[in-house]
């Protein structure tokens, strides 16, 4: 075989392998990473629609999924006031999440969820609100119950945490001067939570993590959570943990019961 023919054959073989190896779409890239980490996104029935919504966040702004998060340029803040406000209690509530959790602090299996109806949300309205009151940057997170919409269901809890974090990363990557994000963590499932912590911080660029005040009735000082806290410490540096209230639950006779001792107080806000 001539050298020219040999080189052409090698080029075709290499190109073919690259085409086969490369994911065909943003949706495939996200699903591939989840599969790599042992997460079955199909545990959530609406996963294809959710993946499409996340991908559209990138496509609408012409941003590549693999693009690293561009860090916001450092600007000295001389004084507090309009234009110098950083909002660290700021929620993204895309339509797909509202469909899963129609009530804040809730449980997808309960009609009321223990809270108020999850509000409608979109990026443009959020940014208009920021401009109106002089917020320069918002650190986004999902409100309660975050990943704990499926009480007692590990597979769906873990899958939902991953989808939430991919959505938040998409917003931070497409609007890097406006948004960063706190990652959702699928506690009480400790091993899976450690894996999601590392992925969200090291690969997606989360600036911190958002924990609920309790996860399936287990509070943050629960002994079995110790390996998670050790993993967080192991990341080095100063790690930010944002704690958001959510409905407390107890499992009684194999049923999840909102554990609110104050009947006059809304269940999802009792832990404020």
């Amino acid at each position: 075989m001539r050298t020219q023919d040999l080189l052409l054959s090698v080029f075709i073989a290499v190109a073919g392998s690259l085409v086969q190896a490369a994911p065909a779409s943003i949706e495939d890239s996200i699903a591939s990473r989840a599969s790599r980490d042992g997460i079955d996104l199909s545990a959530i029935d609406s996963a294809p629609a959710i993946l499409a919504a996340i991908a559209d966040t990138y496509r609408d702004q012409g941003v590549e999924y693999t693009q690293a998060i561009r860090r916001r340029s450092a600007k000295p803040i001389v004084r507090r006031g309009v234009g110098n406000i950083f909002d660290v209690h700021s929620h993204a509530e895309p339509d797909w999440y509202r469909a899963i959790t129609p009530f804040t602090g809730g449980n997808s299996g309960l009609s009321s969820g223990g809270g108020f109806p999850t509000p409608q949300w979109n990026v443009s309205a959020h940014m208009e609100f920021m401009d109106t009151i002089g917020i320069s940057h918002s650190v986004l997170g999902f409100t309660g119950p975050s990943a704990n919409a499926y009480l007692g269901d590990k597979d769906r809890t873990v899958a939902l945490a991953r989808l939430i974090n991919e959505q938040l990363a998409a917003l931070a990557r497409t609007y890097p001067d406006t948004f960063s994000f706190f990652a959702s963590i699928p506690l009480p499932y400790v091993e899976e939570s450690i894996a999601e912590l590392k992925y969200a911080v090291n690969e997606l660029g989360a600036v911190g993590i958002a924990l609920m005040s309790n996860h399936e009735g287990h509070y943050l000082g629960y002994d079995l959570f110790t390996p998670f806290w050790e993993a967080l410490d192991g990341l080095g540096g100063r790690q930010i943990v944002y704690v958001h209230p959510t409905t407390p639950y107890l499992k009684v006779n194999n049923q999840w019961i909102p554990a609110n001792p104050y009947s006059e107080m809304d269940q999802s806000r009792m832990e404020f």
Side-chain angles (χ1 to χ4, degrees):
M1 178 181 291
R2 294 182 305 168
T3 300
Q4 184 177 3
D5 293 337
L6 178 60
L7 290 174
L8 179 60
S9 297
V10 171
F11 173 79
I12 292 172
V14 171
S17 65
L18 290 175
V19 169
Q20 291 177 357
S25 65
I26 294 172
E27 293 92 331
D28 287 344
S29 295
I30 295 172
S32 177
R33 289 186 178 192
S35 178
R36 175 201 69 187
D37 295 337
I39 300 171
D40 180 13
L41 296 181
S42 68
I44 296 177
D45 292 341
S46 56
I50 296 171
L51 288 170
I54 296 169
D56 285 344
T57 305
Y58 289 100
R59 286 193 283 256
D60 289 348
Q61 298 298 317
V63 174
E64 294 291 333
Y65 173 70
T66 55
Q67 174 180 309
I69 292 179
R70 179 167 60 87
R71 297 300 178 192
R72 188 176 188 274
S73 58
K75 297 180 181 178
I77 298 177
V78 178
R79 59 182 175 81
R80 295 173 62 185
V82 175
N84 289 336
I85 301 172
F86 271 50
D87 183 2
V88 297
H89 186 174
S90 188
H91 293 310
E93 310 291 349
D95 290 343
W96 65 260
Y97 183 72
R98 193 170 69 254
I100 291 174
T101 58
F103 293 87
T104 62
N107 168 353
S108 66
L110 299 179
S111 59
S112 68
F116 293 104
T118 302
Q120 292 189 340
W121 180 92
N122 62 68
V123 172
S124 60
H126 191 111
M127 294 174 73
E128 288 174 9
F129 169 76
M130 291 173 64
D131 289 341
T132 298
I133 62 174
I135 296 173
S136 58
H137 193 86
S138 290
V139 185
L140 298 175
F142 277 36
T143 191
S146 191
N148 294 112
Y150 303 105
L151 297 176
D153 189 325
K154 181 172 77 171
D155 289 345
R156 289 198 288 180
T157 301
V158 172
L160 183 56
R162 175 57 58 91
L163 291 169
I164 288 172
N165 291 333
E166 291 286 0
Q167 178 68 83
L168 290 169
L171 292 165
R173 285 170 169 167
T174 52
Y175 304 97
D177 290 332
T178 305
F179 298 131
S180 50
F181 76 99
F182 291 137
S184 176
I185 301 296
L187 287 172
Y189 308 106
V190 174
E191 182 178 345
E192 292 77 9
S193 292
I194 292 171
E196 191 62 25
L197 165 70
K198 293 177 179 178
Y199 177 73
V201 172
N202 295 333
E203 297 191 49
L204 294 182
V207 299
I209 62 171
L211 298 180
M212 299 296 101
S213 52
N214 76 89
H215 292 262
E216 297 189 1
H218 299 297
Y219 286 83
L220 300 182
Y222 184 43
D223 287 348
L224 293 183
F225 289 173
T226 298
F228 174 78
W229 294 115
E230 291 174 344
L232 182 66
D233 286 342
L235 293 178
R238 296 177 61 188
Q239 300 301 323
I240 298 173
V241 178
Y242 170 81
V243 180
H244 193 284
T246 193
T247 303
Y249 282 100
L250 290 175
K251 195 172 186 179
V252 179
N253 296 327
N254 211 35
Q255 291 185 325
W256 293 98
I257 307 298
N260 179 9
Y262 304 106
S263 58
E264 70 278 9
M265 187 177 295
D266 176 74
Q267 290 173 3
S268 67
R269 301 191 178 185
M270 190 272 290
E271 298 202 341
F272 267 106

